[in-house]
Amino acid sequence: MGGTGDEGYGLALRWATAGYQVIIGSRSIDRAHSAAQLITKTAGPNSKVSGMLNDQAAAAAEIVVVTVPFAALIETLKTVKASLTPGKILVNVTVPLETAIGGKPTRTVGLWGGSAGEMASNIVPKGISVVTAFNNVSAEPLSDLAKKVECDVLICGDDRDAKKIVMELVTAIPGARGVDAGPLENSRTVEQITALLVGMNIRYGVHSAGFRVTGIPLA
Amino acid sequence: MGGTGDEGYGLALRWATAGYQVIIGSRSIDRAHSAAQLITKTAGPNSKVSGMLNDQAAAAAEIVVVTVPFAALIETLKTVKASLTPGKILVNVTVPLETAIGGKPTRTVGLWGGSAGEMASNIVPKGISVVTAFNNVSAEPLSDLAKKVECDVLICGDDRDAKKIVMELVTAIPGARGVDAGPLENSRTVEQITALLVGMNIRYGVHSAGFRVTGIPLA
């Protein structure tokens, strides 16, 4: 969902390049197809990428990754809800930036449930594991296959198995390292870090501020 | 203030080693003197370290660094308030961990003002620049002069000159790098990162999880 935006495009491109079967979901079937074609062109003829409407994409996928702008998050989740059958994993990448209400990308809005990840978890059916991940990875290095992603991916969720599967999606992106950042409630902090990094991008005149966790045993 | 605790001890030790004149503030003059003696012993006979009661320390210092447990923050700030004459800088290191109300160190409590840094700013007199810094640096590597600190220091504040001065304090700690993390309101996120790192320490069985910012031009 949101695969036609910059972040979704970048993630889809990386996973398609790594050999994953990728379905781009969109509200517009034309835009889904265009994005799928563009990714196929870049990732190569052996990549397995298709485009579908959001609800069809969610029905066909095992792991549903949401990268829509925050203002569209609730609507998108409601659209795909019926397609999310038990056992599927929903990865929420969307961050509640203040831009959703006409504010700044360096701030977030406060959510009743604490975070977009927890909000998503309250909307999707029981039996769906919601995992927070990839929120802090800039679209720019993702979209350029010549670049390594110089950023760790903080993974939050309450289902260990789901987190392990998402960890594999991280490993498929050269340079990215997954870090277990605890329960889903920690999405509160992880999502806010995105706004902090946007501020650093602005202050330091760059496009891909990220971070590496230090002092913990990681591959 | 709080120089008798682990974090305060570690920072004071590093600054004393770098040649700064350091005053340990405490509620107890005996503990202030003991901490000062211990630091002098470790940092060497040329180091300039003394111990005073909190209000006297605040009166004598140009830069007042607060590292007390969160439950003691308001009381400490009220104690030193009268000693904070215009032009001084208050660096708040204290994070509103849930432990202050008997909860977990992996969570924070929500504050009316948004963060401990903003709360501090509302308590101290006008003319005092409050800067958030050092919150994410573990006490353990600070306290061991043989170790480099493998963590960047996120600096938040609304006074550019004060942030520059705090940046110098960062540079005095081998391995640490200061990153301008924007206005004081960004303390909200920076303080929460501490709780996230505490969680990583527990999950990964270490004592000094930290991070390095990537993708921005830093020395």
Side-chain angles (χ1 to χ4, degrees), chain A residues 107 150 154 179-182 185-186 189-190 192-193 196 200 203-204 206 208-217, chain B residues 107 150 154 179-182 185-186 189-190 192-193 196 200 203-204 206 208-217:
Chain A
R107 290 174 169 177
E150 292 293 344
L154 301 181
V179 178
D180 185 350
E185 64 182 26
N186 285 2
T189 304
V190 172
Q192 287 186 46
I193 291 174
L196 201 64
M200 288 182 196
R203 270 188 304 285
Y204 287 90
V206 295
S208 54
F211 59 87
R212 295 289 194 194
V213 176
T214 59
I216 63 173
Chain B
R107 290 175 169 175
E150 291 294 344
L154 302 181
V179 177
D180 185 349
E185 64 182 27
N186 286 1
T189 304
V190 171
Q192 286 186 46
I193 290 174
L196 201 65
M200 288 182 196
R203 270 188 304 285
Y204 287 91
V206 295
S208 54
F211 59 86
R212 292 290 192 193
V213 177
T214 59
I216 63 172

Side-chain angles (χ1 to χ4, degrees), chain A residues 97-114:
Chain A
L97 297 181
E98 205 190 59
T99 44
I101 54 162
K104 297 181 178 180
T106 55
R107 290 174 169 177
T108 56
V109 292
L111 298 179
W112 205 259

Side-chain angles (χ1 to χ4, degrees), chain A residues 80-142:
Chain A
V80 303
K81 199 175 161 176
S83 307
L84 296 173
T85 46
K88 294 195 181 192
I89 296 170
L90 185 112
V91 180
N92 181 59
V93 186
T94 297
V95 170
L97 297 181
E98 205 190 59
T99 44
I101 54 162
K104 297 181 178 180
T106 55
R107 290 174 169 177
T108 56
V109 292
L111 298 179
W112 205 259
S115 63
E118 290 162 285
M119 190 181 87
S121 180
N122 286 328
I123 294 173
V124 301
K126 299 218 179 296
I128 302 298
S129 293
V130 174
V131 176
T132 287
F134 305 106
N135 321 61
N136 305 324
V137 181
S138 290
E140 197 188 72
L142 282 175

